[in-house]
């Protein structure tokens, strides 16, 4: 019996996944574990592997089309095998509209993305989007295989159209800039997903950033002592981020509103802390997740974050390791940045931006002393909580950082 390959659920808030690329065609032989397609959600991209040995019998979802999780995207079985399924194959329906005559299996993947009588290759979802935006599909450049127009191509065309309208409004006030000698780089892969996701985050939430500074002089002393002790046992040294992670987890347990998600106009409060640690790659930003961080010691948090970062840089993170976070930390201290405004990782309520530690003179009573200061930037969703409770969370975090011994008690 043919095996159904379905669209996986890549996150608790995922409502739709898109087939970015098919690596195989109908009739191609595949082996178990072999990559057959690439899919994407608003959060990540991942490869879909074949669950069994066999032949691609049907491709039910064409490239560029989005479908809900659990939808069958293709069938794998023995060559010539009849497919038995209760699900109405979306691709067959599209083909029947083109021609009532039965088609060979090898023809399905091509015909399904070409509308009746058209010369333009375009997926059904992309065509609907273009029609709604009143765009001429013949003027849209397709980036899919064979010049096929995908959903992302239409989204980019809509964005460009709106940008041109805005430029026309102010064209009389601002001098035009020539782009003849500019090098153009097309958005693709994870960069395109990040661009769309960040724009959606800003458009679909009420984000506010507040800032505070913590005196981490005593924390740095403790971190140095702990690192020296761990290196004697051939363990990796603790970093400031490790202590920050522990402080954030403890603070989130005291302020559940910050450890929450805004989904379908409801606030979901979580007892468990699944901590996302942003990792910068050459291709973009990924956020691997330390699950049940509330059960981890500082040492365990350190080992988990370092291992996830190594796997991220090697491109070996699974989709499960990049979903389900309830709060995120983004550290730009290594780049010398002090304060910045991190963008929320939907549907999370909060994200903590960490800057570079700097030394400055500070009055302690009547004495002026040199102290180490850590800048903190907290972005939160104003739909979930107001400035006062968000500030209270930041004050609790500051207290843990300035009294590091309390993190160990």
């Amino acid at each position: 019996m043919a095996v159904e390959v379905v669209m996986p659920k890549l996150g608790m808030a995922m409502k739709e996944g898109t087939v970015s690329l098919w690596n195989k065609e109908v009739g191609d032989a595949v082996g178990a574990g072999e990559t057959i397609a690439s899919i994407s959600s608003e959060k990540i991209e991942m490869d879909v592997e074949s669950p069994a040995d066999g032949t691609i019998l049907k491709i039910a979802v064409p490239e560029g089309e989005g479908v809900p999780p659990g939808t069958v995207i293709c069938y794998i079985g023995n060559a010539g095998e009849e497919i038995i399924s209760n699900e109405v194959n979306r691709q067959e329906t599209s083909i029947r509209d083109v021609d009532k005559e039965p088609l060979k299996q090898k023809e399905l993947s091509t015909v399904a993305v070409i509308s009746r009588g058209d010369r333009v290759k375009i997926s059904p979802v992309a065509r609907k989007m273009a029609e709604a935006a009143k765009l001429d599909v013949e003027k849209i450049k397709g980036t899919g295989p064979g010049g096929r127009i995908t959903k992302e191509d239409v989204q980019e065309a809509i964005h460009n159209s709106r940008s041109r309208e805005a430029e026309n409004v102010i064209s009389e006030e601002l001098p035009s800039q020539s782009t003849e000698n500019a090098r153009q780089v097309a958005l693709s892969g994870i960069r395109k997903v990040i661009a769309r996701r960040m724009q959606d985050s800003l458009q679909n939430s009420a984000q506010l950033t507040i800032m505070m500074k913590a005196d981490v002089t005593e924390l740095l002393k403790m971190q140095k002592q702990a690192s020296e002790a761990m290196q004697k046992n051939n363990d990796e040294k603790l970093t400031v981020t490790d202590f920050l992670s522990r402080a954030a987890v403890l603070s989130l347990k005291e302020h559940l509103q910050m450890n929450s998600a805004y989904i379908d106009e409801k606030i979901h409060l979580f007892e468990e802390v699944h901590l996302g640690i942003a990792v910068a790659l050459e291709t973009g930003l990924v956020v691997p997740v330390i699950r049940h961080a509330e059960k981890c010691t500082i040492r365990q948090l350190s080992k988990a974050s370092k291992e996830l970062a190594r796997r991220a840089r090697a491109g070996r993170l699974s989709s499960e390791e990049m979903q389900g976070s309830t709060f995120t930390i983004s550290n730009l201290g290594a780049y010398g940045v002090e304060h910045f405004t991190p963008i929320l990782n939907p549907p999370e309520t909060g994200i903590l931006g960490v800057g570079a530690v700097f030394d400055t003179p500070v009055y302690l009573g009547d004495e002026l002393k040199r102290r180490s200061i850590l800048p903190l930037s907290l972005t939160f969703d104003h739909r979930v909580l107001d400035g006062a409770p968000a500030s209270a969370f930041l004050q609790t975090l500051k207290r843990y950082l300035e009294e590091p011994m309390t993190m160990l008690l």
Side-chain angles (χ1 to χ4, degrees):
M1 183 174 178
V3 176
E4 296 180 343
V5 181
V6 301
M7 175 67 68
K9 190 173 180 66
L10 304 182
M12 59 183 176
M14 174 181 170
K15 296 182 179 179
E16 182 180 271
T18 301
V19 178
S20 305
L21 176 69
W22 281 106
N23 298 86
K24 299 291 183 178
E25 296 181 355
V26 174
D28 288 349
V30 296
E34 184 178 357
T35 299
I36 59 175
S38 295
I39 63 171
S40 65
S41 70
E42 291 185 345
K43 190 169 185 179
I44 62 173
E45 286 193 345
M46 68 169 288
D47 293 331
V48 176
E49 298 179 350
S50 172
D53 297 329
T55 300
I56 302 291
L57 300 179
K58 280 189 178 182
I59 291 177
V61 178
E63 290 178 0
E65 184 167 343
V67 295
T71 302
V72 177
I73 60 174
C74 81
Y75 298 85
I76 297 175
N78 298 321
E81 179 181 351
E82 182 180 356
I83 297 175
I84 301 176
S85 175
N86 294 326
E87 179 180 344
V88 178
N89 191 290
R90 293 148 45 90
Q91 196 173 46
E92 289 181 336
T93 302
S94 174
I95 293 168
R96 292 192 191 101
D97 289 339
V98 179
D99 192 347
K100 299 298 182 181
E101 294 297 324
L103 299 176
K104 296 180 181 180
Q105 297 288 342
K106 195 69 177 181
E107 297 173 327
L108 296 183
S109 60
T110 301
V111 178
V113 296
I114 305 177
S115 296
R116 293 183 289 270
D118 279 347
R119 296 169 296 170
V120 179
K121 292 183 178 181
I122 182 171
S123 72
V125 170
R127 178 171 291 282
K128 290 180 181 178
M129 291 175 60
E131 290 175 352
K134 298 180 179 180
L135 294 178
D136 185 352
V137 295
E138 293 188 358
K139 296 181 180 180
I140 301 176
K141 183 179 180 181
T143 60
R148 182 181 305 161
I149 299 173
T150 65
K151 175 182 176 182
E152 286 76 14
D153 296 328
V154 177
Q155 288 176 329
E156 185 173 356
I158 293 173
H159 174 73
N160 292 338
S161 176
R162 291 173 179 172
S163 298
R164 284 193 295 270
E165 290 177 2
E167 290 173 359
N168 289 336
V169 173
I170 62 173
S171 60
E172 296 181 359
E173 301 178 10
L174 296 177
S176 61
Q177 182 177 2
S178 174
T179 59
E180 294 180 359
N181 298 321
R183 183 170 65 93
Q184 298 183 11
V185 179
L187 288 179
S188 61
I190 191 171
R191 186 70 261 165
K192 182 179 290 186
V193 173
I194 292 173
R196 184 173 65 251
R197 184 169 176 77
M198 292 299 95
Q199 185 177 27
D200 290 344
S201 175
L202 289 172
Q203 291 178 339
N204 299 319
S205 61
Q207 300 191 27
L208 177 65
T209 302
I210 57 177
M211 300 175 182
M212 193 174 289
K213 296 175 183 177
D215 185 338
V216 293
T217 307
E218 300 304 319
L219 174 62
L220 293 180
K221 292 178 182 178
M222 177 181 289
Q223 180 245 341
K224 182 179 180 181
Q225 293 172 349
S227 295
E228 290 175 352
M230 292 184 67
Q231 285 182 315
K232 289 180 180 179
N233 296 323
N234 296 320
D235 287 336
E236 293 183 275
K237 68 177 183 178
L238 295 176
T239 65
V240 172
T241 301
D242 298 329
F243 283 92
L244 264 166
S245 299
R246 178 61 176 166
V249 169
L250 293 173
S251 301
L252 289 168
K253 293 296 291 181
E254 295 184 32
H255 302 270
L256 287 185
Q257 272 189 295
M258 191 60 69
N259 192 50
S260 64
Y262 189 90
I263 305 173
D264 296 331
E265 297 187 350
K266 293 181 180 179
I267 300 172
H268 300 251
L269 302 175
F270 304 110
E271 292 289 341
E272 301 85 7
V273 178
H274 303 316
L275 189 64
I277 306 290
V279 177
L281 307 178
E282 290 184 2
T283 54
L285 192 72
V286 296
V287 185
V289 181
I290 303 175
R291 304 192 67 80
H292 295 288
E294 78 281 358
K295 298 180 180 180
C296 298
T297 64
I298 293 178
R299 186 176 180 181
Q300 290 169 333
L301 286 171
S302 177
K303 287 188 174 181
S305 63
K306 290 179 175 60
E307 175 59 24
L308 287 170
R310 279 192 287 265
R311 290 172 58 80
R313 295 186 178 100
R316 294 188 290 109
L317 284 177
S318 66
S319 61
E320 290 78 12
E321 292 173 314
M322 292 188 288
Q323 61 180 303
S325 56
T326 59
F327 187 83
T328 296
I329 294 177
S330 179
N331 193 337
L332 294 180
Y335 300 95
V337 174
E338 291 187 6
H339 289 292
F340 61 102
T341 55
I343 298 176
L344 286 177
N345 185 20
E348 296 173 17
T349 294
I351 179 172
L352 179 67
V354 183
V357 175
F358 63 91
D359 289 344
T360 188
V362 176
Y363 273 106
L364 297 179
D366 294 331
E367 296 184 32
L368 191 62
K369 293 187 177 182
R370 178 174 178 171
R371 308 294 288 181
S372 297
I373 305 300
L374 178 67
L376 302 170
S377 305
L378 176 68
T379 296
F380 64 95
D381 193 338
H382 219 318
R383 297 175 301 174
V384 177
L385 74 168
D386 297 324
S391 299
F393 165 81
L394 206 50
Q395 286 178 331
T396 301
L397 178 67
K398 172 185 170 75
R399 172 170 54 83
Y400 278 117
L401 295 175
E402 294 186 340
E403 301 173 9
M405 188 60 67
T406 59
M407 287 189 272
L408 307 178
L409 299 178

